[in-house]
Amino acid sequence: MTQLRFAPIGVLATLLLATLPSSWVPLSGADNNAVNMGNTRTPVLIELFTSEGCSSCPPADALLEKLDESQPVPAAELIVLSEHVDYWNNIGWKDPYSSSEFSDRQRDYGERFGLGSVYTPQMVVDGHLEFVGSDERRAIRAIENAAKVQKIPVGLSSIHRQANNTIALHVEAGPLPSNATKSANVLIAIADDSDESDVSRGENAGRTLKHVAVLRNLIPVGTVDGAREFSRDVTVNDSKRNSRNLRIVAIVQEMAGGRVWGVASARLSN
């Protein structure tokens, strides 16, 4: 009798799932209406500053992919981004995914961390901890510590493609915690799900390099102020995308490369 009572609900759920847009696929464990809202695992942002012109970077690229796939810290949901800098481009190989914007972002972190200069590969966890990007043991410790920090809920929903290389979405974020700054930026990151290059020159000449969650655009869409919640429909440019699937990441971060107070991620298929 119990099975008969609940069978119609299962049928109804199946029908409702069938009506969802096929272009938006939330990450595992995420709610269809608000990714990471109410998630029992703490979302942690992992940024890797890397370059295809740097011979020390491929092991860090491989570690980022491993962290993304294995999710080794039970208390944390790892949201990764590979950010390719451009200051290696003049020694034989121009990284096709590099941007001066990501180099500037890394320099902002360098100032925050009191570093004399920037370097690759560098991993940054929640905008608060940095270390050599191929150091797996250090990465696990940093993620474990980041998972203990209070985060605000962040949600992504209604994600769909529009004409003229744009993506429409809705982003929400809870108010900042009392120990945060008075305001924080809300950023939308557009990243290729994966990329691959056959490098013909430079320090990695002759190698095929693979990357995960390759950042292409990082767009500010507003601010979270004090105790007020953030909720907004936004449209972002998608002109740098390739033919592969995309990752959409919402980041709430203190100004000028500060601490990350919330992050959420979803996938958008082509």
Side-chain angles (χ1 to χ4, degrees):
M1 295 180 62
T2 302
Q3 290 180 344
L4 290 175
R5 183 181 302 170
F6 286 97
I9 297 177
V11 173
L12 178 59
T14 301
L15 292 173
L16 288 173
L17 287 172
T19 65
L20 288 174
S22 59
S23 61
W24 176 46
V25 182
L27 294 179
S28 59
D31 181 83
N32 285 339
N33 293 318
V35 177
N36 284 339
M37 287 288 197
N39 196 342
T40 57
R41 303 175 73 188
T42 301
V44 176
L45 179 65
I46 312 296
E47 297 175 81
L48 175 66
F49 292 95
T50 184
S51 171
E52 290 190 343
C54 162
S55 61
S56 300
C57 287
D61 297 329
L63 175 58
L64 190 71
E65 182 177 12
K66 179 181 178 180
L67 294 173
D68 180 53
E69 292 181 351
S70 66
Q71 297 286 322
V73 179
E77 177 196 358
L78 305 188
I79 297 174
V80 307
L81 287 174
S82 176
E83 303 180 28
H84 290 234
V85 299
D86 69 343
Y87 50 80
W88 281 92
N89 286 353
N90 60 353
I91 62 167
W93 177 254
K94 183 176 181 180
D95 188 327
Y97 313 109
S98 64
S99 171
S100 60
E101 177 184 359
F102 309 144
S103 299
D104 290 341
R105 180 169 173 82
Q106 188 186 28
R107 292 187 184 98
D108 285 341
Y109 278 137
E111 291 183 7
R112 284 271 185 168
F113 296 134
L115 303 178
S117 61
V118 294
Y119 66 93
T120 58
Q122 182 188 36
M123 196 168 282
V124 177
V125 176
D126 272 347
H128 186 62
L129 298 169
E130 70 86 23
F131 46 90
V132 175
S134 55
D135 190 337
E136 183 173 1
R137 183 176 299 181
R138 182 74 181 275
I140 296 298
R141 288 202 305 267
I143 293 164
E144 289 173 340
N145 289 332
K148 300 174 184 177
V149 176
Q150 179 187 2
K151 296 285 181 63
I152 67 172
V154 178
L156 283 166
S157 60
S158 303
I159 305 172
H160 60 278
R161 297 187 187 279
Q162 298 186 133
N164 302 319
N165 295 322
T166 60
I167 296 172
L169 56 90
H170 182 77
V171 59
E172 297 181 7
L176 294 174
S178 58
N179 59 329
T181 56
K182 292 183 178 179
S183 64
N185 287 324
V186 180
L187 308 170
I188 298 297
I190 309 295
D192 295 341
D193 189 50
S194 62
D195 283 304
E196 182 176 308
S197 291
D198 293 322
V199 180
S200 59
R201 297 182 301 278
E203 292 189 0
N204 289 310
R207 303 185 65 174
T208 297
L209 302 181
K210 297 181 180 180
H211 314 287
V212 64
V214 180
L215 185 61
R216 307 309 295 272
N217 284 320
L218 186 62
I219 307 109
V221 296
T223 58
V224 178
D225 297 312
R228 291 184 296 178
E229 296 182 350
F230 181 92
S231 179
R232 185 171 299 175
D233 293 321
V234 300
T235 300
V236 294
N237 190 286
D238 186 28
S239 60
K240 294 183 181 179
R241 71 178 179 87
N242 64 12
S243 60
R244 302 176 187 272
N245 296 337
L246 299 179
R247 300 189 188 196
I248 313 298
V249 180
I251 304 168
V252 177
Q253 183 174 27
E254 291 179 356
M255 310 295 181
R259 181 186 282 273
V260 172
W261 289 108
V263 60
S265 180
R267 285 192 172 97
L268 180 66
S269 61
N270 288 325

